[in-house]
Amino acid sequence: MAKKTGTPTYEQLINATIKRLVLTITLTISLVILVMVGVQQTVSTMHESRDLMNSLHQANIKDVPSFIHWNNSTTRNTQQAAFIRVTTNKATITTTTKSKRTILTTPSSKAFFAKNQTKLVGPLVYVRGFGFFVTYSEKDGQNTYQLWVSLKRLISSFFLLIVLTVVLTLITLGFGTWWAHRLAARLSAPTIDLLHETKYTSNNPDADQPTLKIPASPREINDLGQAFNELLVAQNQRLQHERQFISDASHELRTPIAAIRGNLSLIRRRGDAHPEIIPESLNFIDEESLRMQHLIENLLHLSRADRAKLELTDQDLSFLLLQLGEHYQPSIDQPVKLAIDPDIHVPGNAEMLQQIVVALLDNAHKYSPHDQPITLSLTQTANSVRLAVADFGEGIPDDQKQAVFQRFYRVDQSRSQEIEGSGLGLAIVKQLVTLNQAQIEVTNNQPQGSIFTIIWSKPTKP
């Protein structure tokens, strides 16, 4: 079997699915952590900034000494660098939280306030050379309080968290890929083993196929293997039946052909010297050719029955059997007794039903003494309809009752040449009975003989 390029294998599909799952879970968890930490840090920074602003507002700073007093006495919780400017009617004072001591109008604050500030969103501004800040401004009478809290530390922490998350994602993805490969290989191993078994089995489709070695787990693969084995058993049986059918058909056809060729050779060799043998040989050729014609017709009937699909309609089986019994009686010397209950209907095909009954009557006629009757009966019970053909012939041994429905099977091989027939009649009957959704069985008649019974089961009422 040629390997299809471009078609992913079962292992590759599992591997890709697991890798996508691991990557999705890792990215989702990382994104959630980033958002939660980012929000928490942002809220904390905002809260610290608001606390510092409220402290400024409550201090009621009016001049430099009061600003120095507030700056020395206030505990600043913010971990971010901040710039503070207080404007009163007397002075403008600035300081920064980056130093523990009081710095008024420091070089850094002068440089900071000298820069242009770009307002972004809400309280967020950008100061060139200093970065991003959150700014607050409040006015209380003659005083104006302004606060700029740097987000540099927050952004650095956030960036570090992103780097750690990316590294963790790559590590997890690498480990997940390795784990997915191992898991995919383990999960796909039973399927691959079953595939190899199937390929080995299908190397010679004309030979009997051995059953597959089925993995014990997983259950789905085990069930699939069981189904394959059941299919192989059915295929082997079909191959055996076909070989037997071809062998039997060849044997049955070989006999009349050999007889015809033998008589033709006899006519060529001795026809001129002994013309009296010509009519006898021609009669024999005619009989054998007729026998071969019947055999071929039966083979065609059997082939059609194997492939037939038909719709069943309601049939008045009682009326059909009465007609068949009356028309069949003049063609045989045995008396035909009819025991047919009236008004019995079954689903079926009228032509096939006639063929079934005639074949069973022919079989009873061939194997019954000329002075013994053949009984054709039809009865009905609450659960079934039973059509039976009974004779008083030699009967069928119990170990051969099922074999009589096989193709070319003859019960008494020593008498197979004495009693005309191809051995296909009952095989055709069984196939036609199956197509009419019925069953056929053979039992012993008393004191001797056989009874062939066709049974239609009635659906049980709920």
Side-chain angles (χ1 to χ4, degrees):
M1 182 183 296
K3 186 176 180 180
K4 295 182 179 179
T5 58
T7 302
T9 63
Y10 187 44
E11 180 180 348
Q12 290 172 340
L13 290 174
I14 296 176
N15 197 358
T17 302
I18 293 177
K19 284 197 292 186
R20 284 196 299 268
L21 180 61
V22 170
L23 182 60
T24 301
I25 293 175
T26 304
L27 290 178
T28 302
I29 294 176
S30 301
L31 183 61
V32 170
I33 293 175
L34 282 173
V35 171
M36 291 180 63
V37 172
V39 170
Q40 190 271 334
Q41 289 291 326
T42 302
V43 171
S44 177
T45 300
M46 297 295 184
H47 182 70
E48 292 172 357
S49 301
R50 293 301 304 174
D51 287 345
L52 187 59
M53 191 66 186
N54 290 334
S55 177
L56 270 174
H57 184 261
Q58 293 173 2
N60 193 20
I61 298 171
K62 297 181 180 181
D63 49 23
V64 173
S66 61
F67 179 77
I68 294 173
H69 175 75
W70 170 84
N71 191 46
N72 291 333
S73 62
T74 301
T75 302
R76 301 177 185 176
N77 296 322
T78 179
Q79 298 178 359
Q80 313 290 342
F83 291 94
I84 302 169
R85 180 163 64 183
V86 179
T87 303
T88 68
N89 57 355
K90 295 181 180 180
T92 297
I93 311 162
T94 61
T95 187
T96 176
T97 61
K98 290 190 290 185
S99 176
K100 294 183 179 179
R101 56 190 178 83
T102 302
I103 300 176
L104 302 180
T105 317
T106 61
S108 61
S109 62
K110 287 182 179 181
F112 175 80
F113 291 114
K115 297 290 184 181
N116 291 328
Q117 300 181 8
T118 304
K119 187 174 179 63
L120 299 177
V121 178
L124 184 64
V125 298
Y126 175 74
V127 181
R128 187 175 180 180
F130 288 85
F132 294 93
F133 287 79
V134 175
T135 179
Y136 296 95
S137 178
E138 287 189 10
K139 190 170 183 179
D140 183 12
Q142 299 297 321
N143 295 345
T144 301
Y145 306 97
Q146 292 175 292
L147 172 66
W148 289 263
V149 179
S150 175
L151 298 180
K152 185 176 181 179
R153 185 183 182 90
L154 175 63
I155 294 174
S156 299
S157 300
F158 197 69
F159 179 76
L160 178 61
L161 183 60
I162 291 176
V163 171
L164 292 176
T165 301
V166 171
V167 172
L168 179 62
T169 301
L170 292 176
I171 294 174
T172 304
L173 185 60
F175 175 77
T177 301
W178 171 81
W179 176 75
H181 177 73
R182 288 179 57 87
L183 180 61
R186 187 176 65 182
L187 291 177
S188 61
T191 306
I192 295 174
D193 292 342
L194 187 61
L195 175 63
H196 291 162
E197 284 282 325
T198 306
K199 285 183 177 180
Y200 172 76
T201 301
S202 61
N203 286 336
N204 187 4
D206 294 328
D208 287 346
Q209 307 297 332
T211 55
L212 305 177
K213 295 179 181 178
I214 304 173
S217 64
R219 187 180 65 183
E220 291 79 3
I221 301 300
N222 183 270
D223 292 342
L224 180 62
Q226 295 285 357
F228 273 141
N229 280 341
E230 292 174 3
L231 183 62
L232 288 174
V233 170
Q235 180 185 5
N236 290 338
Q237 292 176 349
R238 188 174 187 84
L239 286 173
Q240 292 173 1
H241 291 162
E242 288 179 354
R243 294 193 201 101
Q244 187 65 38
F245 177 76
I246 293 173
S247 175
D248 293 340
S250 301
H251 175 75
E252 293 293 330
L253 288 171
R254 190 182 300 118
T255 302
I257 290 175
I260 291 173
R261 292 181 60 84
N263 280 274
L264 288 174
S265 177
L266 179 64
I267 293 173
R268 280 198 299 266
R269 287 186 289 105
R270 299 185 179 181
D272 293 338
H274 302 279
E276 69 277 2
I277 67 172
I278 294 177
E280 181 179 354
S281 294
L282 289 177
N283 287 336
F284 194 81
I285 289 172
D286 182 61
E287 291 176 358
E288 291 300 317
S289 63
L290 184 62
R291 176 185 172 191
M292 189 164 56
Q293 177 184 347
H294 289 161
L295 176 61
I296 293 173
E297 288 176 350
N298 284 334
L299 288 173
L300 290 175
H301 281 307
L302 196 57
S303 177
R304 293 192 192 102
D306 283 340
R307 301 190 303 268
K309 292 181 180 179
L310 68 158
E311 294 183 4
L312 305 182
T313 58
D314 183 72
Q315 301 293 332
D316 188 345
L317 194 55
S318 300
F319 178 74
L320 181 65
L321 295 184
L322 287 174
Q323 282 190 323
L324 283 176
E326 293 174 0
H327 288 87
Y328 190 80
Q329 177 63 82
S331 63
I332 61 173
D333 49 5
Q334 293 104 328
V336 177
K337 291 185 176 180
L338 302 179
I340 300 172
D341 292 347
D343 197 26
I344 296 179
H345 292 249
V346 295
N349 178 273
E351 182 180 350
M352 288 187 176
L353 291 175
Q354 292 178 9
Q355 189 176 351
I356 291 169
V357 176
V358 170
L360 291 177
L361 291 174
D362 285 343
N363 187 74
H365 162 62
K366 287 187 292 184
Y367 291 97
S368 296
H370 295 288
D371 58 346
Q372 296 296 321
I374 299 172
T375 302
L376 176 62
S377 62
L378 179 65
T379 58
Q380 180 174 230
T381 65
N383 299 323
S384 64
V385 173
R386 305 173 74 89
L387 186 160
V389 176
D391 63 63
F392 291 96
E394 296 182 0
I396 302 173
D398 291 340
D399 60 345
Q400 299 184 48
K401 282 185 168 59
Q402 291 302 318
V404 295
F405 297 107
Q406 298 176 6
R407 299 170 181 181
F408 298 107
Y409 187 84
R410 308 290 289 273
V411 174
D412 190 351
Q413 299 294 336
S414 63
R415 295 183 59 199
S416 61
Q417 298 300 323
E418 299 177 10
I419 301 175
E420 63 173 319
S422 61
L424 291 173
L426 291 178
I428 295 174
V429 166
K430 181 175 178 59
Q431 188 65 26
L432 296 179
V433 167
T434 301
L435 290 173
N436 281 270
Q437 298 182 358
Q439 296 176 338
I440 186 169
E441 63 181 22
V442 56
T443 56
N444 294 328
N445 197 7
Q446 298 300 330
Q448 68 176 30
S450 302
I451 304 175
F452 287 86
T453 306
I454 301 172
I455 306 169
W456 283 269
S457 299
K458 291 184 177 180
T460 57
K461 295 182 180 181

